[in-house]
Amino acid sequence: MRTGFVGVALILGCAVGSSTWAQTKEFPVRPVRLVVPVPPGGSIDVMARIVSPRWGELMGQNVIIDYRPGANTIVGSENVARAPADGYTLLINTLPFVVNPSLYPKMPFDTERDFAPVSLLGASPFVLVAHPSLPVKSVKELVALAKAHPGKLNYASAGNGSNLHVAAELFKNLTVTDIVHVPYGGGGRH
């Protein structure tokens, strides 16, 4: 079975350059805020919970997780874009961060101008599964069933433009099938 991967990235808001870091001799002198732009429970949240305690130890300061879900990560991303460019506000995000500009013609920030990438934190595999009651044992059988019953099968995602939504739409496009998207309000809810 093939799996796809989506990276989880740590991004600094307001394009903090290396010169800003060099001017700050005692960084950090207060807690750092890590904005998670999705509801608790998905892969981004899990990654934030794993890395923030260790970052706190390494920096000698607390890393506070700040959930700012909404609008396919736009709410949290905008919050970081508007934060002071001092390195104390970080954003952890994934595919929607780069997909949103193509989905929403009017964004409240510019992903290239207002942010600077810091690090790739990890990768999440995609695994295609079906309920045992579905009479399929392979991808080939799933595609055949979907083609025989257009619009009768459903798939869940964390919302429009989310990793799973984009991956499933690619699957539908490549297999020329009609499977219905059922968006949920975050990765922890489906």
Side-chain angles (χ1 to χ4, degrees), residues 91-109:
L91 173 68
I92 186 169
N93 213 333
T94 186
L95 186 65
F97 185 76
V98 295
V99 171
N100 281 342
S102 65
L103 296 177
Y104 305 99
K106 233 179 164 175
M107 296 281 291
F109 52 82

Side-chain angles (χ1 to χ4, degrees), residues 6-96:
V6 171
V8 178
L10 178 66
I11 303 155
L12 274 177
C14 304
V16 175
S18 58
S19 61
T20 304
W21 291 98
Q23 294 169 5
T24 308
K25 294 179 180 169
E26 297 290 329
F27 181 85
V29 295
R30 59 184 166 89
V32 173
R33 184 169 64 111
L34 178 60
V35 175
V36 177
V38 296
S43 61
I44 299 172
D45 173 43
V46 171
M47 184 63 71
R49 290 174 192 238
I50 290 170
V51 299
S52 61
R54 181 68 178 137
W55 286 345
E57 289 174 26
L58 292 171
M59 293 187 295
Q61 282 292 338
N62 289 328
V63 175
I64 300 166
I65 297 175
D66 184 3
Y67 295 96
R68 299 290 174 125
N72 199 35
T73 75
I74 293 172
V75 171
S77 300
E78 180 180 15
N79 183 272
V80 174
R82 298 192 187 291
D86 57 9
Y88 285 95
T89 304
L90 303 172
L91 173 68
I92 186 169
N93 213 333
T94 186
L95 186 65

Side-chain angles (χ1 to χ4, degrees), residues 1-5 125-129 139 171 174:
M1 174 176 288
R2 290 183 180 184
T3 58
F5 291 91
F126 286 124
V127 180
L128 181 60
V129 297
V139 174
F171 176 83
L174 293 172

